[in-house]
Amino acid sequence: MSDNYAIRRYHRQTMPVLGMNRNKKYLKIFLAMLLVGAAVAAYFVYTSGILADDNSRIPQQFLDRINLERQAASLPPVQMDDHATYLATTISRQVKLSQLTSASQPDAEEGAGMNIFVIPKISWAISGYDSQQQMFDTLENNDNTFRSNILNRNFRLVGIGVSGDGYNYYIATRWQ
């Protein structure tokens, strides 16, 4: 017989293109789903405000939560004041620059109060995580001045200033 009989019997197998083999017919679908999932995740990260230095939704959410606490104590709601917000934003930016992490600072002006908080940005981006509830429970328990400012009948106006860096939001509240 011939020496090349074995060569003719075993033919060289061709290498299939990735995703074209019948055994891997779902590879294209999986890759498409993976790309769609990555796009959806990127959309949620972008819309959560975690990439922005100043999250414009925080002051209104903060005010709503303060007014819920006041309503539970049968107190009238506080209103947002533009001048107090300007002063709170200025303090918030100063805190961001100086990396001051004290929970509260007394204000020199008579009849006004100031609270400063440093909150991680990731807590605002996690879906299903009630960061406001966690934040208010923590702030009210750790900082008695914030709780007393919320429940003070004399305060009718509040200014809420927010600034941020890559990792944290610096929130300052100024009460009048």
Side-chain angles (χ1 to χ4, degrees), residues 67 69-77 150-153 156:
N67 284 331
E69 294 288 327
R70 289 178 66 92
Q71 181 182 9
S74 300
L75 295 172
I150 289 175
L151 299 178
N152 190 337
R153 291 185 182 276
R156 302 278 183 215

Side-chain angles (χ1 to χ4, degrees), residues 75-160:
L75 295 172
V78 293
Q79 302 295 321
M80 190 80 82
D81 182 53
D82 291 336
H83 181 65
T85 299
Y86 172 76
L87 294 174
T89 303
T90 303
I91 295 295
S92 174
R93 289 182 182 148
Q94 289 174 357
V95 169
K96 178 180 85 169
L97 293 176
S98 67
Q99 297 297 318
L100 179 65
T101 58
S102 66
S104 172
Q105 278 188 337
D107 199 351
E109 187 177 328
E110 185 70 27
M114 178 73 74
N115 302 103
I116 300 170
F117 310 104
V118 179
I119 299 169
K121 278 187 171 184
I122 193 70
S123 65
W124 291 87
I126 298 172
S127 177
Y129 174 71
D130 189 2
S131 59
Q132 295 173 7
Q133 180 67 34
Q134 165 101 26
M135 180 176 57
F136 269 80
D137 288 345
T138 303
L139 298 179
E140 290 173 356
N141 292 332
N142 292 342
D143 186 10
N144 293 332
T145 60
F146 181 63
R147 178 82 175 149
S148 64
N149 286 340
I150 289 175
L151 299 178
N152 190 337
R153 291 185 182 276
N154 298 328
F155 289 144
R156 302 278 183 215
L157 300 173
V158 66
I160 302 169

Side-chain angles (χ1 to χ4, degrees), residues 8-41:
R8 277 190 251 141
R9 186 171 175 206
Y10 300 107
H11 297 286
R12 180 189 295 183
Q13 294 181 357
T14 58
M15 295 295 292
V17 178
L18 186 64
M20 302 302 286
N21 189 347
R22 279 188 235 157
N23 296 334
K24 297 180 183 179
K25 62 184 175 182
Y26 294 110
L27 183 62
K28 287 182 182 178
I29 295 171
F30 174 73
L31 290 176
M33 288 175 44
L34 189 65
L35 288 174
V36 168
V40 168

